[in-house]
Amino acid sequence: MAIFYYSSANRVFCDSDWFYDDLIGADFDNYDNKGGYRVLYFESFDAESYSREEQLALHIPFQEEEKFPIVDTELAMIPSLTKQILLTDSVEFEQTFGTGKYEFDGFDPYDEKYEEMLGFGTQLGGYPSFTQADPREYLNDGKQHDLLLFQLDSCYGSGQDWEFMWGDAGIGNFFISPEDLKAKKFENAWYNWDCS
């Protein structure tokens, strides 16, 4: 079970190159390379990290470049506690049931009755979802035990005046070790994104 600090703030920042990189700051060969993103922790909302003017100034040298933004505005997340069923194709499923969901006897992951319970969506904690595969399955450096810190899913076309878009309707996942989460060492969080 993950411990989250709701009275504090986690913010995900990107350097100015992130918007102009079709990998969106990720390094799929080295998840410890945080050159294109940062997850920062603040004890309170009182201090301003970057003013709006300072944030905009970071983009001035790149104004004529092709952009790959995920989010086209600033948004706040208002969490609510919900229950989630473990139906995702994740290391948690294999750890719990001893097999992947596609090999699980008597379970058809393509059955429409499970569609609403698959875990896609934006969330803090819980079971992650992927459009491709859980990257933790292929890692042998301890990251296979890391927890989902934050998941930002693509969201578009539902009448809002904003959207999130990871490539072609993908999903981004930020992970952290249980020890780092407890110690509030968010600088060690890492991320992956994939799309269909």
Side-chain angles (χ1 to χ4, degrees), residues 92-146:
E92 289 86 359
F93 192 97
E94 290 189 27
Q95 290 167 351
T96 302
F97 298 108
T99 185
K101 78 174 186 182
Y102 296 102
E103 294 81 34
F104 195 76
D105 262 349
F107 174 66
D108 178 6
Y110 300 106
D111 191 321
E112 288 181 12
K113 67 183 175 187
Y114 299 119
E115 192 168 320
E116 292 295 316
M117 298 183 279
L118 286 178
F120 285 92
T122 297
Q123 63 187 42
L124 293 171
Y127 302 119
S129 296
F130 309 93
T131 58
Q132 300 292 326
D134 188 338
R136 298 171 299 166
E137 290 180 26
Y138 310 105
L139 301 174
N140 296 316
D141 57 359
K143 286 184 175 48
Q144 64 271 25
H145 304 293
D146 287 358

Side-chain angles (χ1 to χ4, degrees), residues 19-62:
F19 283 109
Y20 313 98
D21 171 8
D22 62 351
L23 294 181
I24 314 173
D27 184 344
F28 300 117
D29 296 321
N30 179 7
Y31 287 105
D32 290 323
N33 179 3
K34 311 231 181 356
Y37 67 94
R38 297 284 186 273
V39 177
L40 303 177
Y41 171 75
F42 298 90
E43 288 286 338
S44 75
F45 293 98
D46 298 332
E48 190 174 73
S49 54
Y50 284 110
S51 70
R52 183 70 179 142
E53 293 76 26
E54 289 171 320
Q55 292 177 40
L56 291 173
L58 294 172
H59 298 280
I60 290 173
F62 304 98

